[in-house]
Amino acid sequence: PSYTITYFPVRGRCQATRMLLADQGQTWKEDVVTLDTWMKGDLKATCLYGQLPKFTDGAFTLYQSNAILRYLGRKHGLYGKDDQERALLDMANDGVEDLRNKYLVLIYQNYISFVDYNLLDLLLIHQTLAPGCLDTFPLLSAYVARLSSRPNLKAFLASPQHTGLPINGNGKQ
Ligand code: GTS
């Protein structure tokens, strides 16, 4: 296939593209990027906005999930028949984007409970005991990365209050 999707191992912002391609009888290649690979930073540095998804059609490269959808919409006759229809489709898609952003805030930012701190603590301990132990668990890895990047928590995890304390009292860790 000439199409390649480069993205994390989630549905995320790529599933609409995948659904479009599948429904239109297209094939594509998946270039799956693990969190570990992403964290190395080399790929991020090459991405126009420092983010995924990246989409290629042969030698042509695109970023931004909605630009990808629009490109495929144009290419596969899914983008209306005149300027007014296209304007209405753009309006509807912008509405979907507004909803998606609300959903992303719900999923990635607002849901937090005391259980999250407890689970994060234990997962971080696991990573100390066995670095890489979450590598084959993309959802858990993403969870740890997401929680650890909350600004206040990120600062705390980098502070001596966290890094300066042993995990256990008997010296094992
Ligand atoms: N507006 C962009 C789009 O629609 O493609 C947003 C892309 C984006 O937020 N990418 C996230 C990312 O690359 C991953 S996801 O939210 O789509 O799952 N995050 C990693 C980083 O380093 O920013």
Side-chain angles (χ1 to χ4, degrees), residues 41-64:
D42 302 350
L43 175 59
K44 184 177 175 75
T46 69
C47 296
L48 188 61
Y49 297 97
Q51 292 192 314
L52 297 176
K54 169 183 177 179
F55 181 85
T56 56
D57 179 1
F60 178 63
T61 301
L62 266 182
Y63 298 93
Q64 293 291 351

PDB file of all heavy atoms in Angstrom, residues 41-64:
ATOM      1  N   GLY A  41      12.994  10.756  21.448  1.00  0.00           N
ATOM      2  CA  GLY A  41      12.949  12.117  20.909  1.00  0.00           C
ATOM      3  C   GLY A  41      13.366  12.274  19.454  1.00  0.00           C
ATOM      4  O   GLY A  41      13.103  13.315  18.856  1.00  0.00           O
ATOM      5  N   ASP A  42      14.025  11.256  18.877  1.00  0.00           N
ATOM      6  CA  ASP A  42      14.518  11.409  17.496  1.00  0.00           C
ATOM      7  C   ASP A  42      13.365  11.607  16.508  1.00  0.00           C
ATOM      8  O   ASP A  42      13.408  12.495  15.646  1.00  0.00           O
ATOM      9  CB  ASP A  42      15.320  10.177  17.063  1.00  0.00           C
ATOM     10  CG  ASP A  42      16.487   9.911  17.987  1.00  0.00           C
ATOM     11  OD1 ASP A  42      16.761  10.791  18.830  1.00  0.00           O
ATOM     12  OD2 ASP A  42      17.113   8.849  17.863  1.00  0.00           O
ATOM     13  N   LEU A  43      12.333  10.765  16.648  1.00  0.00           N
ATOM     14  CA  LEU A  43      11.199  10.866  15.726  1.00  0.00           C
ATOM     15  C   LEU A  43      10.446  12.183  15.957  1.00  0.00           C
ATOM     16  O   LEU A  43      10.103  12.889  15.011  1.00  0.00           O
ATOM     17  CB  LEU A  43      10.253   9.666  15.924  1.00  0.00           C
ATOM     18  CG  LEU A  43       8.966   9.689  15.111  1.00  0.00           C
ATOM     19  CD1 LEU A  43       9.272   9.746  13.612  1.00  0.00           C
ATOM     20  CD2 LEU A  43       8.103   8.466  15.415  1.00  0.00           C
ATOM     21  N   LYS A  44      10.232  12.509  17.225  1.00  0.00           N
ATOM     22  CA  LYS A  44       9.513  13.752  17.569  1.00  0.00           C
ATOM     23  C   LYS A  44      10.180  14.957  16.889  1.00  0.00           C
ATOM     24  O   LYS A  44       9.499  15.833  16.352  1.00  0.00           O
ATOM     25  CB  LYS A  44       9.503  13.923  19.089  1.00  0.00           C
ATOM     26  CG  LYS A  44       8.705  15.122  19.588  1.00  0.00           C
ATOM     27  CD  LYS A  44       8.708  15.153  21.119  1.00  0.00           C
ATOM     28  CE  LYS A  44       8.036  16.390  21.686  1.00  0.00           C
ATOM     29  NZ  LYS A  44       6.575  16.353  21.589  1.00  0.00           N
ATOM     30  N   ALA A  45      11.528  14.956  16.904  1.00  0.00           N
ATOM     31  CA  ALA A  45      12.275  16.078  16.330  1.00  0.00           C
ATOM     32  C   ALA A  45      12.030  16.219  14.827  1.00  0.00           C
ATOM     33  O   ALA A  45      12.171  17.309  14.274  1.00  0.00           O
ATOM     34  CB  ALA A  45      13.765  15.902  16.606  1.00  0.00           C
ATOM     35  N   THR A  46      11.646  15.127  14.173  1.00  0.00           N
ATOM     36  CA  THR A  46      11.423  15.206  12.721  1.00  0.00           C
ATOM     37  C   THR A  46       9.973  15.555  12.382  1.00  0.00           C
ATOM     38  O   THR A  46       9.660  15.829  11.223  1.00  0.00           O
ATOM     39  CB  THR A  46      11.738  13.856  12.032  1.00  0.00           C
ATOM     40  OG1 THR A  46      10.736  12.897  12.420  1.00  0.00           O
ATOM     41  CG2 THR A  46      13.122  13.360  12.402  1.00  0.00           C
ATOM     42  N   CYS A  47       9.075  15.517  13.385  1.00  0.00           N
ATOM     43  CA  CYS A  47       7.656  15.763  13.108  1.00  0.00           C
ATOM     44  C   CYS A  47       7.384  17.271  13.095  1.00  0.00           C
ATOM     45  O   CYS A  47       7.840  17.988  13.987  1.00  0.00           O
ATOM     46  CB  CYS A  47       6.767  15.090  14.164  1.00  0.00           C
ATOM     47  SG  CYS A  47       6.889  13.300  14.152  1.00  0.00           S
ATOM     48  N   LEU A  48       6.621  17.708  12.123  1.00  0.00           N
ATOM     49  CA  LEU A  48       6.413  19.149  11.910  1.00  0.00           C
ATOM     50  C   LEU A  48       5.938  19.858  13.177  1.00  0.00           C
ATOM     51  O   LEU A  48       6.409  20.940  13.500  1.00  0.00           O
ATOM     52  CB  LEU A  48       5.403  19.360  10.774  1.00  0.00           C
ATOM     53  CG  LEU A  48       5.227  20.799  10.299  1.00  0.00           C
ATOM     54  CD1 LEU A  48       6.536  21.360   9.745  1.00  0.00           C
ATOM     55  CD2 LEU A  48       4.139  20.879   9.230  1.00  0.00           C
ATOM     56  N   TYR A  49       4.988  19.260  13.901  1.00  0.00           N
ATOM     57  CA  TYR A  49       4.499  19.865  15.144  1.00  0.00           C
ATOM     58  C   TYR A  49       4.966  19.096  16.374  1.00  0.00           C
ATOM     59  O   TYR A  49       4.405  19.255  17.460  1.00  0.00           O
ATOM     60  CB  TYR A  49       2.963  19.949  15.125  1.00  0.00           C
ATOM     61  CG  TYR A  49       2.432  20.838  14.031  1.00  0.00           C
ATOM     62  CD1 TYR A  49       1.998  20.295  12.825  1.00  0.00           C
ATOM     63  CD2 TYR A  49       2.393  22.222  14.186  1.00  0.00           C
ATOM     64  CE1 TYR A  49       1.519  21.110  11.802  1.00  0.00           C
ATOM     65  CE2 TYR A  49       1.927  23.047  13.165  1.00  0.00           C
ATOM     66  CZ  TYR A  49       1.492  22.475  11.981  1.00  0.00           C
ATOM     67  OH  TYR A  49       1.042  23.286  10.973  1.00  0.00           O
ATOM     68  N   GLY A  50       5.943  18.233  16.174  1.00  0.00           N
ATOM     69  CA  GLY A  50       6.451  17.448  17.302  1.00  0.00           C
ATOM     70  C   GLY A  50       5.458  16.430  17.807  1.00  0.00           C
ATOM     71  O   GLY A  50       5.555  15.982  18.953  1.00  0.00           O
ATOM     72  N   GLN A  51       4.486  16.069  16.964  1.00  0.00           N
ATOM     73  CA  GLN A  51       3.450  15.129  17.415  1.00  0.00           C
ATOM     74  C   GLN A  51       3.085  14.145  16.312  1.00  0.00           C
ATOM     75  O   GLN A  51       3.363  14.361  15.129  1.00  0.00           O
ATOM     76  CB  GLN A  51       2.193  15.915  17.824  1.00  0.00           C
ATOM     77  CG  GLN A  51       2.395  16.751  19.080  1.00  0.00           C
ATOM     78  CD  GLN A  51       1.094  17.291  19.624  1.00  0.00           C
ATOM     79  OE1 GLN A  51       0.273  17.800  18.865  1.00  0.00           O
ATOM     80  NE2 GLN A  51       0.898  17.184  20.922  1.00  0.00           N
ATOM     81  N   LEU A  52       2.432  13.074  16.730  1.00  0.00           N
ATOM     82  CA  LEU A  52       1.839  12.104  15.816  1.00  0.00           C
ATOM     83  C   LEU A  52       0.319  12.259  15.912  1.00  0.00           C
ATOM     84  O   LEU A  52      -0.159  12.769  16.917  1.00  0.00           O
ATOM     85  CB  LEU A  52       2.254  10.682  16.218  1.00  0.00           C
ATOM     86  CG  LEU A  52       3.754  10.389  16.127  1.00  0.00           C
ATOM     87  CD1 LEU A  52       4.046   8.987  16.653  1.00  0.00           C
ATOM     88  CD2 LEU A  52       4.264  10.544  14.692  1.00  0.00           C
ATOM     89  N   PRO A  53      -0.450  11.851  14.905  1.00  0.00           N
ATOM     90  CA  PRO A  53      -0.086  10.993  13.781  1.00  0.00           C
ATOM     91  C   PRO A  53       0.668  11.707  12.658  1.00  0.00           C
ATOM     92  O   PRO A  53       0.535  12.897  12.441  1.00  0.00           O
ATOM     93  CB  PRO A  53      -1.449  10.513  13.279  1.00  0.00           C
ATOM     94  CG  PRO A  53      -2.401  11.603  13.622  1.00  0.00           C
ATOM     95  CD  PRO A  53      -1.897  12.131  14.938  1.00  0.00           C
ATOM     96  N   LYS A  54       1.427  10.822  11.967  1.00  0.00           N
ATOM     97  CA  LYS A  54       2.056  11.206  10.706  1.00  0.00           C
ATOM     98  C   LYS A  54       1.443  10.295   9.655  1.00  0.00           C
ATOM     99  O   LYS A  54       1.200   9.111   9.925  1.00  0.00           O
ATOM    100  CB  LYS A  54       3.560  10.968  10.818  1.00  0.00           C
ATOM    101  CG  LYS A  54       4.336  11.060   9.538  1.00  0.00           C
ATOM    102  CD  LYS A  54       5.797  10.714   9.825  1.00  0.00           C
ATOM    103  CE  LYS A  54       6.616  10.712   8.560  1.00  0.00           C
ATOM    104  NZ  LYS A  54       8.035  10.399   8.874  1.00  0.00           N
ATOM    105  N   PHE A  55       1.169  10.850   8.491  1.00  0.00           N
ATOM    106  CA  PHE A  55       0.549  10.070   7.427  1.00  0.00           C
ATOM    107  C   PHE A  55       1.344  10.282   6.155  1.00  0.00           C
ATOM    108  O   PHE A  55       1.670  11.425   5.822  1.00  0.00           O
ATOM    109  CB  PHE A  55      -0.897  10.538   7.215  1.00  0.00           C
ATOM    110  CG  PHE A  55      -1.642   9.794   6.149  1.00  0.00           C
ATOM    111  CD1 PHE A  55      -2.280   8.593   6.435  1.00  0.00           C
ATOM    112  CD2 PHE A  55      -1.701  10.289   4.860  1.00  0.00           C
ATOM    113  CE1 PHE A  55      -2.968   7.896   5.450  1.00  0.00           C
ATOM    114  CE2 PHE A  55      -2.387   9.603   3.869  1.00  0.00           C
ATOM    115  CZ  PHE A  55      -3.019   8.407   4.166  1.00  0.00           C
ATOM    116  N   THR A  56       1.692   9.194   5.481  1.00  0.00           N
ATOM    117  CA  THR A  56       2.373   9.367   4.206  1.00  0.00           C
ATOM    118  C   THR A  56       1.604   8.668   3.096  1.00  0.00           C
ATOM    119  O   THR A  56       0.996   7.610   3.300  1.00  0.00           O
ATOM    120  CB  THR A  56       3.826   8.830   4.227  1.00  0.00           C
ATOM    121  OG1 THR A  56       3.809   7.466   4.629  1.00  0.00           O
ATOM    122  CG2 THR A  56       4.708   9.611   5.181  1.00  0.00           C
ATOM    123  N   ASP A  57       1.613   9.317   1.953  1.00  0.00           N
ATOM    124  CA  ASP A  57       1.060   8.740   0.722  1.00  0.00           C
ATOM    125  C   ASP A  57       2.228   8.741  -0.259  1.00  0.00           C
ATOM    126  O   ASP A  57       2.512   9.770  -0.881  1.00  0.00           O
ATOM    127  CB  ASP A  57      -0.098   9.618   0.231  1.00  0.00           C
ATOM    128  CG  ASP A  57      -0.693   9.085  -1.066  1.00  0.00           C
ATOM    129  OD1 ASP A  57      -0.225   8.043  -1.562  1.00  0.00           O
ATOM    130  OD2 ASP A  57      -1.636   9.717  -1.585  1.00  0.00           O
ATOM    131  N   GLY A  58       2.941   7.630  -0.319  1.00  0.00           N
ATOM    132  CA  GLY A  58       4.179   7.602  -1.098  1.00  0.00           C
ATOM    133  C   GLY A  58       5.174   8.570  -0.481  1.00  0.00           C
ATOM    134  O   GLY A  58       5.462   8.509   0.717  1.00  0.00           O
ATOM    135  N   ALA A  59       5.644   9.530  -1.290  1.00  0.00           N
ATOM    136  CA  ALA A  59       6.654  10.474  -0.810  1.00  0.00           C
ATOM    137  C   ALA A  59       6.011  11.701  -0.159  1.00  0.00           C
ATOM    138  O   ALA A  59       6.711  12.588   0.324  1.00  0.00           O
ATOM    139  CB  ALA A  59       7.539  10.918  -1.969  1.00  0.00           C
ATOM    140  N   PHE A  60       4.667  11.746  -0.149  1.00  0.00           N
ATOM    141  CA  PHE A  60       3.962  12.914   0.395  1.00  0.00           C
ATOM    142  C   PHE A  60       3.654  12.684   1.878  1.00  0.00           C
ATOM    143  O   PHE A  60       3.087  11.663   2.256  1.00  0.00           O
ATOM    144  CB  PHE A  60       2.659  13.119  -0.391  1.00  0.00           C
ATOM    145  CG  PHE A  60       1.827  14.261   0.092  1.00  0.00           C
ATOM    146  CD1 PHE A  60       2.310  15.566   0.042  1.00  0.00           C
ATOM    147  CD2 PHE A  60       0.557  14.039   0.606  1.00  0.00           C
ATOM    148  CE1 PHE A  60       1.540  16.628   0.487  1.00  0.00           C
ATOM    149  CE2 PHE A  60      -0.219  15.090   1.053  1.00  0.00           C
ATOM    150  CZ  PHE A  60       0.282  16.384   0.986  1.00  0.00           C
ATOM    151  N   THR A  61       4.045  13.654   2.710  1.00  0.00           N
ATOM    152  CA  THR A  61       3.869  13.505   4.163  1.00  0.00           C
ATOM    153  C   THR A  61       2.927  14.559   4.716  1.00  0.00           C
ATOM    154  O   THR A  61       2.995  15.727   4.341  1.00  0.00           O
ATOM    155  CB  THR A  61       5.244  13.659   4.868  1.00  0.00           C
ATOM    156  OG1 THR A  61       6.126  12.664   4.354  1.00  0.00           O
ATOM    157  CG2 THR A  61       5.106  13.467   6.375  1.00  0.00           C
ATOM    158  N   LEU A  62       2.040  14.115   5.621  1.00  0.00           N
ATOM    159  CA  LEU A  62       1.092  15.032   6.261  1.00  0.00           C
ATOM    160  C   LEU A  62       1.103  14.820   7.768  1.00  0.00           C
ATOM    161  O   LEU A  62       1.269  13.691   8.244  1.00  0.00           O
ATOM    162  CB  LEU A  62      -0.334  14.725   5.779  1.00  0.00           C
ATOM    163  CG  LEU A  62      -0.922  15.484   4.603  1.00  0.00           C
ATOM    164  CD1 LEU A  62      -2.357  14.995   4.389  1.00  0.00           C
ATOM    165  CD2 LEU A  62      -0.926  16.986   4.844  1.00  0.00           C
ATOM    166  N   TYR A  63       0.873  15.899   8.505  1.00  0.00           N
ATOM    167  CA  TYR A  63       0.604  15.831   9.943  1.00  0.00           C
ATOM    168  C   TYR A  63      -0.748  16.502  10.166  1.00  0.00           C
ATOM    169  O   TYR A  63      -1.270  17.157   9.280  1.00  0.00           O
ATOM    170  CB  TYR A  63       1.687  16.577  10.729  1.00  0.00           C
ATOM    171  CG  TYR A  63       3.060  15.977  10.545  1.00  0.00           C
ATOM    172  CD1 TYR A  63       3.915  16.449   9.556  1.00  0.00           C
ATOM    173  CD2 TYR A  63       3.483  14.918  11.341  1.00  0.00           C
ATOM    174  CE1 TYR A  63       5.168  15.889   9.371  1.00  0.00           C
ATOM    175  CE2 TYR A  63       4.739  14.352  11.159  1.00  0.00           C
ATOM    176  CZ  TYR A  63       5.580  14.851  10.174  1.00  0.00           C
ATOM    177  OH  TYR A  63       6.813  14.287   9.995  1.00  0.00           O
ATOM    178  N   GLN A  64      -1.278  16.349  11.355  1.00  0.00           N
ATOM    179  CA  GLN A  64      -2.582  16.891  11.764  1.00  0.00           C
ATOM    180  C   GLN A  64      -3.702  15.959  11.274  1.00  0.00           C
ATOM    181  O   GLN A  64      -3.969  15.848  10.073  1.00  0.00           O
ATOM    182  CB  GLN A  64      -2.838  18.325  11.272  1.00  0.00           C
ATOM    183  CG  GLN A  64      -1.922  19.372  11.895  1.00  0.00           C
ATOM    184  CD  GLN A  64      -2.199  19.610  13.384  1.00  0.00           C
ATOM    185  OE1 GLN A  64      -3.182  19.126  13.936  1.00  0.00           O
ATOM    186  NE2 GLN A  64      -1.321  20.357  14.044  1.00  0.00           N
TER     187      GLN A  64
END
